[in-house]
Coordinates of all heavy atoms in Angstrom, one line a residue:
M18 N 0.9 -1.2 0.0 CA 0.0 0.0 0.0 C 0.9 1.2 0.0 O 1.8 1.4 0.8 CB -0.9 0.0 1.2 CG -1.8 1.1 1.3 SD -3.0 0.8 2.6 CE -4.2 2.0 2.2
A19 N 0.6 2.1 -0.9 CA 1.4 3.3 -1.0 C 0.9 4.4 -0.1 O -0.3 4.6 0.0 CB 1.4 3.8 -2.5
H20 N 1.8 5.1 0.5 CA 1.4 6.2 1.4 C 1.7 7.5 0.6 O 2.8 7.7 0.1 CB 2.1 6.2 2.7 CG 1.7 5.0 3.6 ND1 0.5 5.1 4.3 CD2 2.2 3.8 3.8 CE1 0.4 3.9 4.9 NE2 1.4 3.2 4.6
W21 N 0.8 8.4 0.6 CA 1.0 9.7 -0.1 C 1.2 10.7 1.0 O 0.3 10.9 1.9 CB -0.2 10.0 -0.9 CG -0.4 9.1 -2.1 CD1 -0.8 7.8 -2.1 CD2 -0.2 9.4 -3.5 NE1 -0.8 7.3 -3.3 CE2 -0.5 8.3 -4.2 CE3 0.2 10.6 -4.1 CZ2 -0.3 8.2 -5.6 CZ3 0.3 10.5 -5.5 CH2 0.1 9.4 -6.2
L22 N 2.3 11.4 0.9 CA 2.5 12.4 1.9 C 2.3 13.8 1.2 O 3.0 14.2 0.3 CB 4.0 12.4 2.3 CG 4.4 11.1 3.1 CD1 5.8 11.1 3.4 CD2 3.5 11.0 4.4
L23 N 1.2 14.4 1.5 CA 0.8 15.6 0.9 C 0.9 16.7 1.9 O 0.4 16.6 3.0 CB -0.6 15.6 0.3 CG -0.8 14.5 -0.7 CD1 -2.3 14.5 -1.1 CD2 0.0 14.8 -1.9
Y24 N 1.5 17.8 1.6 CA 1.7 18.9 2.5 C 1.7 20.2 1.7 O 2.4 20.4 0.7 CB 3.0 18.8 3.3 CG 3.3 20.0 4.2 CD1 2.6 20.2 5.4 CD2 4.2 20.9 3.8 CE1 2.8 21.2 6.2 CE2 4.5 22.0 4.6 CZ 3.8 22.2 5.8 OH 4.0 23.2 6.6
V25 N 0.9 21.1 2.2 CA 0.9 22.5 1.6 C 1.2 23.4 2.8 O 0.4 23.4 3.7 CB -0.4 22.8 0.9 CG1 -0.4 24.2 0.4 CG2 -0.7 21.9 -0.2
D26 N 2.2 24.1 2.7 CA 2.5 25.0 3.9 C 1.5 26.2 3.9 O 0.9 26.5 2.9 CB 4.0 25.5 3.8 CG 4.2 26.4 2.6 OD1 4.0 26.0 1.5 OD2 4.6 27.6 2.9
P27 N 1.3 26.8 5.0 CA 0.3 27.8 5.2 C 0.5 29.0 4.2 O -0.5 29.6 3.7 CB 0.3 28.2 6.6 CG 1.0 27.1 7.3 CD 1.9 26.5 6.3
G28 N 1.7 29.4 4.0 CA 1.9 30.5 3.1 C 1.5 30.2 1.7 O 0.8 31.0 1.0
S29 N 1.9 29.1 1.2 CA 1.5 28.7 -0.2 C 0.0 28.4 -0.3 O -0.6 28.7 -1.3 CB 2.2 27.4 -0.6 OG 3.6 27.6 -0.6
G30 N -0.6 27.9 0.8 CA -2.0 27.6 0.8 C -2.8 28.9 0.7 O -3.8 29.0 -0.1
S31 N -2.5 29.9 1.5 CA -3.2 31.1 1.5 C -3.0 31.9 0.1 O -3.9 32.5 -0.4 CB -2.8 32.0 2.6 OG -1.5 32.5 2.5
Y32 N -1.8 31.8 -0.4 CA -1.5 32.4 -1.7 C -2.4 31.7 -2.8 O -3.0 32.4 -3.7 CB -0.1 32.3 -2.1 CG 0.3 32.9 -3.4 CD1 0.3 34.3 -3.6 CD2 0.6 32.1 -4.5 CE1 0.6 34.8 -4.8 CE2 0.9 32.6 -5.7 CZ 0.9 34.0 -5.9 OH 1.2 34.6 -7.1
L33 N -2.5 30.4 -2.7 CA -3.3 29.6 -3.7 C -4.8 30.0 -3.6 O -5.4 30.2 -4.6 CB -3.1 28.1 -3.5 CG -3.8 27.2 -4.5 CD1 -3.2 27.4 -5.8 CD2 -3.7 25.8 -4.0
I34 N -5.3 30.2 -2.4 CA -6.7 30.6 -2.2 C -6.9 32.0 -2.7 O -7.9 32.3 -3.4 CB -7.0 30.5 -0.7 CG1 -7.1 29.0 -0.3 CG2 -8.3 31.2 -0.4 CD1 -7.3 28.8 1.2
Q35 N -5.9 32.9 -2.5 CA -6.1 34.3 -3.1 C -6.1 34.3 -4.6 O -6.9 35.0 -5.2 CB -4.9 35.1 -2.6 CG -5.0 35.5 -1.2 CD -3.7 36.3 -0.8 OE1 -3.0 36.8 -1.6 NE2 -3.6 36.5 0.5
V36 N -5.3 33.4 -5.2 CA -5.2 33.3 -6.7 C -6.6 32.8 -7.2 O -7.1 33.3 -8.2 CB -4.0 32.5 -7.1 CG1 -4.2 32.1 -8.6 CG2 -2.7 33.2 -6.8
I37 N -7.1 31.8 -6.5 CA -8.4 31.2 -7.0 C -9.5 32.3 -6.8 O -10.3 32.5 -7.7 CB -8.7 30.0 -6.2 CG1 -7.7 28.9 -6.6 CG2 -10.1 29.5 -6.4 CD1 -7.8 27.6 -5.7
I38 N -9.6 33.0 -5.7 CA -10.6 34.0 -5.5 C -10.5 35.1 -6.5 O -11.4 35.6 -7.1 CB -10.6 34.5 -4.0 CG1 -11.0 33.4 -3.1 CG2 -11.4 35.8 -3.9 CD1 -10.8 33.7 -1.6
A39 N -9.2 35.6 -6.8 CA -9.0 36.6 -7.7 C -9.4 36.2 -9.1 O -10.0 37.0 -9.9 CB -7.5 37.1 -7.7
A40 N -9.2 35.0 -9.5 CA -9.6 34.5 -10.8 C -11.1 34.4 -10.9 O -11.6 34.8 -12.0 CB -9.0 33.1 -11.0
I41 N -11.8 34.0 -9.9 CA -13.2 33.9 -9.9 C -13.8 35.3 -10.0 O -14.7 35.6 -10.9 CB -13.8 33.2 -8.7 CG1 -13.4 31.7 -8.8 CG2 -15.3 33.4 -8.5 CD1 -13.7 30.9 -7.5
L42 N -13.3 36.3 -9.2 CA -13.8 37.6 -9.3 C -13.5 38.3 -10.6 O -14.3 39.0 -11.1 CB -13.3 38.4 -8.1 CG -13.8 38.0 -6.7 CD1 -13.1 38.8 -5.6 CD2 -15.3 38.2 -6.6
G43 N -12.3 38.1 -11.2 CA -12.0 38.6 -12.5 C -12.9 38.1 -13.6 O -13.3 38.8 -14.4
F44 N -13.2 36.8 -13.5 CA -14.1 36.2 -14.4 C -15.5 36.8 -14.3 O -16.1 37.1 -15.4 CB -14.1 34.7 -14.1 CG -15.0 33.9 -15.0 CD1 -14.7 33.5 -16.2 CD2 -16.3 33.5 -14.5 CE1 -15.5 32.7 -17.0 CE2 -17.1 32.7 -15.3 CZ -16.8 32.3 -16.5
L45 N -16.0 37.0 -13.1 CA -17.3 37.5 -13.0 C -17.4 39.0 -13.4 O -18.3 39.4 -14.1 CB -17.7 37.4 -11.5 CG -18.0 36.0 -11.0 CD1 -18.3 36.1 -9.5 CD2 -19.2 35.4 -11.7
F46 N -16.3 39.8 -13.1 CA -16.3 41.2 -13.5 C -16.2 41.3 -15.0 O -16.9 42.1 -15.6 CB -15.1 41.9 -12.9 CG -15.0 43.3 -13.2 CD1 -15.8 44.2 -12.5 CD2 -14.1 43.8 -14.1 CE1 -15.7 45.6 -12.8 CE2 -14.0 45.1 -14.4 CZ -14.8 46.0 -13.7
Y47 N -15.5 40.4 -15.7 CA -15.3 40.5 -17.2 C -16.7 40.2 -17.8 O -17.1 40.9 -18.7 CB -14.3 39.5 -17.6 CG -14.2 39.3 -19.1 CD1 -13.6 40.3 -19.9 CD2 -14.8 38.3 -19.8 CE1 -13.5 40.2 -21.2 CE2 -14.8 38.2 -21.1 CZ -14.1 39.1 -21.9 OH -14.1 39.0 -23.2
F48 N -17.4 39.2 -17.3 CA -18.7 38.8 -18.0 C -19.8 39.8 -17.6 O -20.7 40.0 -18.3 CB -19.0 37.4 -17.7 CG -18.3 36.4 -18.5 CD1 -17.2 35.7 -18.1 CD2 -18.7 36.3 -19.9 CE1 -16.5 34.9 -18.9 CE2 -18.0 35.5 -20.7 CZ -16.9 34.8 -20.2
K49 N -19.6 40.4 -16.4 CA -20.6 41.5 -16.0 C -20.5 42.6 -17.0 O -21.5 43.1 -17.5 CB -20.4 42.0 -14.6 CG -21.3 43.0 -14.2 CD -20.9 43.6 -12.8 CE -20.9 45.1 -13.0 NZ -20.2 45.8 -12.0
N50 N -19.3 43.1 -17.3 CA -19.1 44.2 -18.3 C -19.5 43.8 -19.7 O -20.1 44.6 -20.4 CB -17.6 44.6 -18.3 CG -17.3 45.4 -17.1 OD1 -18.1 46.0 -16.5 ND2 -16.0 45.5 -16.8
L51 N -19.2 42.6 -20.1 CA -19.7 42.1 -21.4 C -21.2 42.0 -21.5 O -21.8 42.5 -22.5 CB -19.1 40.7 -21.6 CG -19.3 40.1 -23.0 CD1 -18.6 40.9 -24.0 CD2 -18.9 38.6 -23.0
W52 N -21.8 41.6 -20.4 CA -23.3 41.6 -20.4 C -23.9 43.0 -20.5 O -24.9 43.2 -21.2 CB -23.8 40.9 -19.1 CG -25.3 40.9 -18.9 CD1 -26.0 41.7 -18.0 CD2 -26.2 40.2 -19.7 NE1 -27.3 41.4 -18.2 CE2 -27.5 40.6 -19.2 CE3 -26.1 39.4 -20.8 CZ2 -28.7 40.1 -19.8 CZ3 -27.3 38.9 -21.3 CH2 -28.5 39.2 -20.9
W53 N -23.3 44.0 -19.8 CA -23.8 45.3 -19.9 C -23.6 45.9 -21.3 O -24.5 46.6 -21.8 CB -23.1 46.2 -18.9 CG -23.7 46.1 -17.5 CD1 -23.2 45.3 -16.5 CD2 -24.9 46.6 -17.0 NE1 -24.0 45.4 -15.4 CE2 -25.0 46.2 -15.7 CE3 -25.9 47.4 -17.6 CZ2 -26.1 46.6 -14.9 CZ3 -27.0 47.8 -16.8 CH2 -27.1 47.4 -15.5
R54 N -22.6 45.6 -21.9 CA -22.4 46.1 -23.3 C -23.3 45.4 -24.3 O -23.9 46.1 -25.2 CB -20.9 45.8 -23.8 CG -19.9 46.7 -23.1 CD -18.6 46.4 -23.6 NE -17.6 47.2 -22.8 CZ -16.4 47.5 -23.2 NH1 -16.1 47.2 -24.4 NH2 -15.7 48.2 -22.5
I55 N -23.6 44.2 -24.1 CA -24.6 43.5 -25.0 C -26.0 44.1 -24.7 O -26.7 44.4 -25.6 CB -24.6 42.0 -24.7 CG1 -23.3 41.4 -25.3 CG2 -25.8 41.3 -25.4 CD1 -23.1 39.9 -24.9
K56 N -26.3 44.3 -23.5 CA -27.6 44.8 -23.1 C -27.8 46.3 -23.6 O -28.8 46.6 -24.1 CB -27.7 44.8 -21.6 CG -29.1 45.0 -21.0 CD -29.0 44.7 -19.5 CE -30.3 45.1 -18.9 NZ -30.3 44.9 -17.4
A57 N -26.7 47.1 -23.6 CA -26.8 48.4 -24.1 C -26.9 48.5 -25.6 O -27.5 49.4 -26.1 CB -25.5 49.2 -23.6
F58 N -26.3 47.5 -26.3 CA -26.4 47.4 -27.7 C -27.8 47.2 -28.2 O -28.2 47.8 -29.2 CB -25.5 46.3 -28.2 CG -25.5 46.2 -29.7 CD1 -24.8 47.1 -30.5 CD2 -26.1 45.1 -30.3 CE1 -24.8 47.0 -31.9 CE2 -26.2 45.0 -31.7 CZ -25.5 45.9 -32.5
F59 N -28.6 46.4 -27.5 CA -29.9 46.0 -27.9 C -31.0 46.9 -27.3 O -32.1 46.8 -27.6 CB -30.2 44.6 -27.6 CG -29.5 43.6 -28.5 CD1 -28.5 42.8 -28.0 CD2 -29.8 43.5 -29.8 CE1 -27.8 42.0 -28.8 CE2 -29.2 42.6 -30.6 CZ -28.1 41.9 -30.1
R60 N -30.6 47.8 -26.4 CA -31.5 48.7 -25.7 C -31.9 49.9 -26.7 O -31.1 50.4 -27.5 CB -30.9 49.3 -24.5 CG -31.8 50.1 -23.6 CD -31.2 50.7 -22.4 NE -30.1 51.6 -22.9 CZ -29.1 52.0 -22.1 NH1 -29.0 51.6 -20.9 NH2 -28.3 52.9 -22.6
K61 N -33.2 50.3 -26.6 CA -33.7 51.4 -27.3 C -33.0 52.7 -26.8 O -32.8 52.8 -25.6 CB -35.2 51.5 -27.2 CG -35.9 50.4 -27.9 CD -37.4 50.7 -27.7 CE -38.2 49.5 -28.3 NZ -39.6 49.7 -28.1
P62 N -32.7 53.6 -27.6 CA -32.1 54.8 -27.1 C -33.1 55.6 -26.3 O -34.3 55.7 -26.6 CB -31.7 55.6 -28.4 CG -32.5 55.0 -29.5 CD -32.8 53.6 -29.1
G63 N -32.7 56.1 -25.2 CA -33.6 56.9 -24.3 C -33.7 58.3 -24.8 O -33.2 58.7 -25.8
R64 N -34.5 59.1 -24.0 CA -34.8 60.4 -24.4 C -33.5 61.3 -24.4 O -33.3 62.1 -25.3 CB -35.8 61.0 -23.4 CG -36.2 62.4 -23.8 CD -37.2 63.0 -22.8 NE -38.3 62.2 -22.5 CZ -39.2 62.3 -21.5 NH1 -39.0 63.2 -20.6 NH2 -40.2 61.5 -21.4
E65 N -32.7 61.1 -23.4 CA -31.4 61.9 -23.4 C -30.5 61.6 -24.6 O -29.9 62.4 -25.1 CB -30.7 61.6 -22.1 CG -31.5 62.0 -20.9 CD -30.8 61.7 -19.6 OE1 -29.7 61.1 -19.6 OE2 -31.4 61.9 -18.5
E66 N -30.4 60.3 -24.9 CA -29.5 59.9 -26.0 C -30.1 60.5 -27.4 O -29.3 60.8 -28.2 CB -29.4 58.4 -26.1 CG -28.7 57.8 -24.9 CD -28.6 56.3 -24.9 OE1 -29.1 55.7 -25.9 OE2 -28.0 55.8 -24.0
K67 N -31.4 60.5 -27.5 CA -32.0 61.1 -28.7 C -31.7 62.5 -28.9 O -31.4 63.0 -29.9 CB -33.5 60.8 -28.8 CG -33.9 59.4 -29.0 CD -35.4 59.3 -29.1 CE -35.9 57.9 -29.3 NZ -37.3 57.7 -29.2
E68 N -31.7 63.3 -27.7 CA -31.5 64.7 -27.8 C -30.0 65.0 -28.0 O -29.7 66.0 -28.7 CB -31.9 65.3 -26.4 CG -33.4 65.3 -26.2 CD -33.8 65.8 -24.9 OE1 -32.9 66.2 -24.1 OE2 -35.0 65.9 -24.6
E69 N -29.1 64.1 -27.6 CA -27.7 64.3 -27.8 C -27.3 64.1 -29.3 O -26.5 64.8 -29.8 CB -26.9 63.3 -27.0 CG -26.9 63.6 -25.5 CD -26.1 62.6 -24.7 OE1 -25.5 61.6 -25.4 OE2 -26.1 62.7 -23.5
K70 N -28.0 63.2 -30.0 CA -27.8 63.0 -31.4 C -28.2 64.2 -32.3 O -27.8 64.3 -33.4 CB -28.4 61.7 -31.8 CG -27.8 60.5 -31.3 CD -28.4 59.2 -31.7 CE -27.8 58.0 -31.1 NZ -28.4 56.7 -31.6
K71 N -29.2 65.0 -31.8 CA -29.7 66.1 -32.6 C -28.7 67.2 -32.8 O -27.9 67.5 -32.3 CB -31.0 66.6 -32.0 CG -32.2 65.6 -32.2 CD -33.4 66.2 -31.6 CE -34.6 65.2 -31.7 NZ -35.8 65.7 -31.1

């Protein structure tokens, strides 16, 4: 039977958790901005935008 010795020191573990959380938040922020741009593209121009174009 093989014994696996796994160890992650606390410094590396906390760094790894920070990297994972930053990646998740960056992913969410990117797609939030993308969603707003798509939504703005299909939105009808409002009263203020119509007046600006005149």
Side-chain angles (χ1 to χ4, degrees):
M18 180 171 196
H20 292 279
W21 293 69
L22 298 175
L23 300 175
Y24 175 74
V25 177
D26 66 300
S29 298
S31 66
Y32 181 70
L33 184 65
I34 290 171
Q35 287 178 13
V36 168
I37 291 170
I38 290 172
I41 291 170
L42 291 177
F44 178 80
L45 292 174
F46 184 75
Y47 174 77
F48 281 103
K49 181 188 131 198
N50 284 340
L51 185 65
W52 175 250
W53 280 101
R54 287 182 186 204
I55 291 172
K56 198 173 171 181
F58 180 76
F59 288 109
R60 188 181 63 198
K61 292 181 182 177
R64 185 183 304 165
E65 296 175 0
E66 293 176 1
K67 286 182 182 176
E68 292 176 0
E69 290 177 1
K70 289 182 180 178
K71 290 182 182 178

